[in-house]
Amino acid sequence: MSKTYQVVGIGNAIVDVLTQSDDSFLDLMGIEKGIMQLVERERGELLYGAMKERTQAAGGSVANTLAGLGHLGLSTAFIGRVHDDALGRFYAQTMESEGTAFVNPPVAGGELPTSRSMIFVSPDGERSMNTYLGISAELGPEDVSEDVAGQAEILFLEGYLYDKDKGKQAFERAAKVCRENGGKAGIALSDPFCVDRHRDDFRRLVRELDYVIGNEHEWTSLYQTDDLGAALEQAASESGLVVCTRSGDEVVLVQGEETVTVPVNRVVPVDATGAGDQFAAGFLYGYATGQPLEVAGRMGCIAAAEVIGHIGPRPQADIKALFKQAGLV
C-alpha cells in the first residue's frame, strides 16, 4: 500500500530574516558575532525593527531538509506551527510553493507571533543569529494528525523539539503513529548542547527509532566519550542505522554488520548554514528510494557541498542533475 508522503518532517517553523550589517552595528546592538542566540519577544521586535533592507526566507532545520527533498521530487509534508500573521502566511505559502505540504493552517487568535531568526550578515560572511521562538515553541501532540504521520513512509524529527515538553509529546506521538502504520522514523540530533540537555531521552530514541543522523561532536557527546569509534560502535549495537558526518572528513554509516565510509570533496564554504540540513536531504532521498548505504551517503555529501557554495540554507542548483553527473541515478 503506497503512502501519501514519502517523507514527513516535524520541527520548528522559523522565518529567517536577513540583513547586511557591519561590526560596529553589532557592537551597538549588543549582538554577539557569529553565533545563534535565543532572544525574548521584546528583544526580537527591537532587532527586527532595526533591520534595514530585510530579506526573508522560510527556515528551520527540518524544513530546510524537506525543501531539499521536495526539490528532488519526493512527496513531502511538514508538521509545524505558525501564527496567522504576515510572516506565518509567508512561511506556509513558501513551503507549499517549494513543493512541501504545510499541513497545519496558520493559527488565528491571541497566540504568540510566528517564530523568526534575525540574521545579521557581516562583510566577512559571518552570520549572527538572534532567534525568537514564538509560536513554534507551542507545537504539541494536537498538531500531529493521524492522516499525516500515519501516511509517512519516512518520518524525520528535529532534536531541538525536545527543548519543550509539548514538542517532545508531539514528537513521540508522530513517531508512534508513523511506525504503527508501517513507516520508519528517525531523528537528527541537532547540536551537541541539545544532546547534553536531553542525553537520556536521545539514548532511548537511538534504541527505539529506525535511523539517527548526527555529527561527530553530537555522537561523542551522546555517549560521553572522546573516542568517536567507541561512540558509533555503541550506537550501532542499539540502532537500526547510524549516520555520522564529520565536517570535511569522510561520512560514516553503520547498519547492522555493514560499515560504509564515504569520502568528502572538500569545498571552501561561502556560507556553511544548511550543510547538515542538506546532507540529511540527500541521504534521506537515497534512503527513501532504496539506494545502498554508500550511494545514500554520497548523495548526502553532494547536496551538502552544493549548499555551502552559496548564501542560504536551501539548494539553488539542480541536485538531481548533480547525482546524475556522479553516476548515482
Side-chain angles (χ1 to χ4, degrees):
M1 186 186 95
S2 79
K3 305 265 187 182
T4 311
Y5 305 109
Q6 285 161 293
V7 183
V8 170
I10 177 169
N12 287 312
I14 298 173
V15 178
D16 288 339
V17 187
L18 299 103
T19 193
Q20 305 282 335
S21 70
D22 56 21
D23 290 359
S24 62
F25 176 83
L26 298 182
D27 289 343
L28 176 72
M29 300 302 289
I31 294 166
E32 201 167 328
K33 186 173 173 177
I35 67 160
M36 194 284 279
Q37 287 182 302
L38 290 177
V39 296
E40 295 299 325
R41 182 171 182 168
E42 205 171 304
R43 169 89 172 147
E45 284 170 0
L46 173 80
L47 292 176
Y48 184 72
M51 300 179 99
K52 293 183 177 63
E53 295 180 33
R54 300 186 281 255
T55 56
Q56 58 192 41
S61 177
V62 161
N64 290 336
T65 298
L66 290 171
L69 287 164
H71 184 89
L72 282 162
L74 295 195
S75 55
T76 57
F78 180 59
I79 299 169
R81 194 170 173 89
V82 296
H83 186 58
D84 189 6
D85 52 19
L87 285 180
R89 290 187 291 273
F90 163 79
Y91 194 97
Q93 282 155 6
T94 302
M95 290 299 286
E96 291 276 352
S97 71
E98 290 183 350
T100 291
F102 190 80
V103 292
N104 296 335
V107 178
E111 285 233 34
L112 295 165
T114 296
S115 311
R116 70 219 43 193
S117 184
M118 277 63 68
I119 303 172
F120 297 88
V121 184
S122 308
D124 61 4
E126 280 275 13
R127 294 156 73 91
S128 309
M129 302 186 186
N130 302 266
T131 304
Y132 166 59
L133 275 181
I135 197 172
S136 69
E138 298 285 296
L139 184 78
E142 66 282 2
D143 295 305
V144 178
S145 133
E146 197 115 356
D147 295 344
V148 179
Q151 281 296 323
E153 287 175 22
I154 293 171
L155 181 73
F156 186 44
L157 308 161
E158 184 177 307
Y160 290 126
L161 280 183
Y162 259 72
D163 282 334
K164 296 279 183 188
D165 284 343
K166 282 178 78 172
K168 195 169 166 174
Q169 290 160 14
F171 198 104
E172 302 277 354
R173 170 171 159 76
K176 182 170 182 284
V177 170
C178 168
R179 298 184 82 209
E180 279 174 355
N181 285 280
K184 293 188 161 119
I187 181 177
L189 294 173
S190 293
D191 80 28
F193 302 109
C194 195
V195 173
D196 284 340
R197 292 192 293 270
H198 307 294
R199 186 171 285 107
D200 290 348
D201 276 323
F202 283 0
R203 283 190 180 177
R204 173 176 59 78
L205 290 170
V206 168
R207 292 192 295 271
E208 289 177 2
L209 297 179
D210 299 289
Y211 65 94
V212 182
I213 302 174
N215 66 30
E216 56 188 321
H217 307 298
E218 290 154 7
W219 284 114
T220 52
S221 167
L222 187 64
Y223 294 108
Q224 294 171 291
T225 173
D226 293 330
D227 182 343
L228 179 63
L232 294 182
E233 200 175 313
Q234 184 167 351
S237 71
E238 297 178 351
S239 173
L241 172 56
V242 168
V243 182
C244 175
T245 59
R246 301 155 65 207
S247 60
D249 288 319
E250 68 245 28
V251 173
V252 183
L253 303 97
V254 191
Q255 187 167 31
E257 298 296 301
E258 185 186 4
T259 299
V260 170
T261 55
V262 177
V264 170
N265 292 333
R266 281 178 171 271
V267 185
V268 177
V270 172
D271 172 10
T273 321
D277 302 340
Q278 294 312 322
F279 173 84
F283 164 75
L284 287 172
Y285 178 81
Y287 187 56
T289 56
Q291 301 297 332
L293 274 192
E294 195 218 352
V295 173
R298 286 178 62 195
M299 287 174 160
C301 293
I302 288 169
E306 186 277 338
V307 82
I308 65 175
H310 58 73
I311 300 280
R314 298 190 174 190
Q316 289 177 1
D318 181 344
I319 305 295
K320 201 174 264 182
L322 298 178
F323 291 171
K324 284 194 178 115
Q325 273 170 28
L328 299 180
V329 291

